[in-house]
């Protein structure tokens, strides 16, 4: 199926299939999102960020590096983060909101945002994530999402992304 000819519901359906694939297994030395808080952060999509930022017809896709870490997700459950798919108070998310508004006059919900690496790394939010794992996840999950959305512009955030 060519992305240009896909309906909105087709795009959402295929994106959910990628989300199902992500849930079925996990790369060695990482956690699946469902491991934390009985899966309350889980999403139908590859990245929880897409809960709030799932405009499948957006001309803009934003790729972030990864969603969280084991240390962060071991903290008490955050209902707002679970519902939105991101933590509004984190500097990365505040900056992204500002850049979208100032540069494109858009909000998070106006675009499609995902994470290149869909699994949870051990340690803190800034813990090391090998480029080979990022590249593998890009090939397996991210590239397909970009082809489905078929944006005019993809913005990569993060030095490894």
């Amino acid at each position: 199926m060519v992305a240009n000819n896909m309906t909105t519901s087709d795009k959402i359906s295929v994106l959910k299939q990628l989300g199902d694939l992500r849930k079925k297994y996990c790369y060695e030395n990482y956690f699946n999102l469902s491991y934390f808080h009985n899966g309350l952060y889980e999403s139908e999509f590859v990245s929880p960020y897409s809960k709030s930022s799932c405009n499948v017809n957006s001309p803009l896709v934003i790729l972030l590096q990864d969603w969280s870490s084991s240390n962060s997700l071991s903290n008490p459950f955050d209902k707002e983060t679970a519902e939105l798919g991101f933590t509004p108070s984190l500097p990365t998310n505040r900056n992204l909101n500002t850049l979208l508004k100032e540069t494109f006059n858009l909000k998070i919900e106006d675009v499609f945002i995902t994470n290149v690496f869909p699994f949870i790394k051990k340690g803190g939010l800034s813990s090391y994530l090998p480029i080979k794992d990022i590249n593998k996840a890009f090939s397996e999950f991210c590239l397909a999402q970009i082809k489905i959305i078929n944006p005019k512009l993809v913005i990569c955030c993060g030095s490894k992304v």
Side-chain angles (χ1 to χ4, degrees):
M1 199 176 272
V2 178
N4 286 341
N5 296 330
M6 293 177 79
T7 65
T8 298
S9 61
D10 288 341
K11 289 180 179 184
I12 291 170
S13 176
V14 178
L15 288 167
K16 287 180 179 180
Q17 288 174 19
L18 281 170
D20 289 343
L21 176 65
R22 190 251 321 143
K23 292 176 200 174
K24 287 182 181 176
Y25 72 100
C26 189
Y27 294 176
E28 189 175 342
N29 297 315
Y30 298 98
F31 296 101
N32 215 316
L33 186 57
S34 60
Y35 179 82
F36 300 92
H37 296 283
N38 296 314
L40 291 174
Y41 289 113
E42 193 55 85
S43 168
E44 296 178 294
F45 303 103
V46 172
S47 170
Y49 218 113
S50 300
K51 288 179 181 180
S52 288
S53 184
C54 193
N55 179 355
V56 297
N57 298 308
S58 174
L60 175 63
V61 167
I62 298 176
L63 305 180
L64 305 175
Q65 181 175 290
D66 60 316
W67 193 72
S68 194
S69 69
S70 62
N71 287 3
S72 180
L73 291 175
S74 294
N75 288 327
F77 176 71
D78 184 331
K79 183 179 177 184
E80 181 180 42
T81 297
E83 288 174 0
L84 294 175
F86 69 97
T87 306
S89 61
L90 285 178
T92 298
N93 297 321
R94 287 194 325 262
N95 291 338
L96 180 56
N97 227 349
T98 300
L99 290 169
L100 277 171
K101 178 73 174 151
E102 291 177 358
T103 307
F104 299 103
N105 197 27
L106 295 171
K107 299 176 192 164
I108 284 176
E109 60 266 21
D110 296 329
V111 298
F112 187 87
I113 300 175
T114 191
N115 296 97
V116 173
F117 192 78
F119 302 112
I120 306 302
K121 63 189 174 220
K122 295 177 181 176
L125 288 174
S126 298
S127 292
Y128 177 71
L129 191 56
I131 194 71
K132 70 175 181 56
D133 295 341
I134 293 172
N135 288 342
K136 180 179 178 183
F138 178 84
S139 296
E140 191 169 357
F141 296 99
C142 198
L143 188 56
Q145 291 175 89
I146 293 168
K147 288 180 178 179
I148 293 163
I149 305 300
N150 194 31
K152 292 180 181 178
L153 179 64
V154 176
I155 297 176
C156 302
C157 301
S159 61
K160 290 185 178 181
V161 176

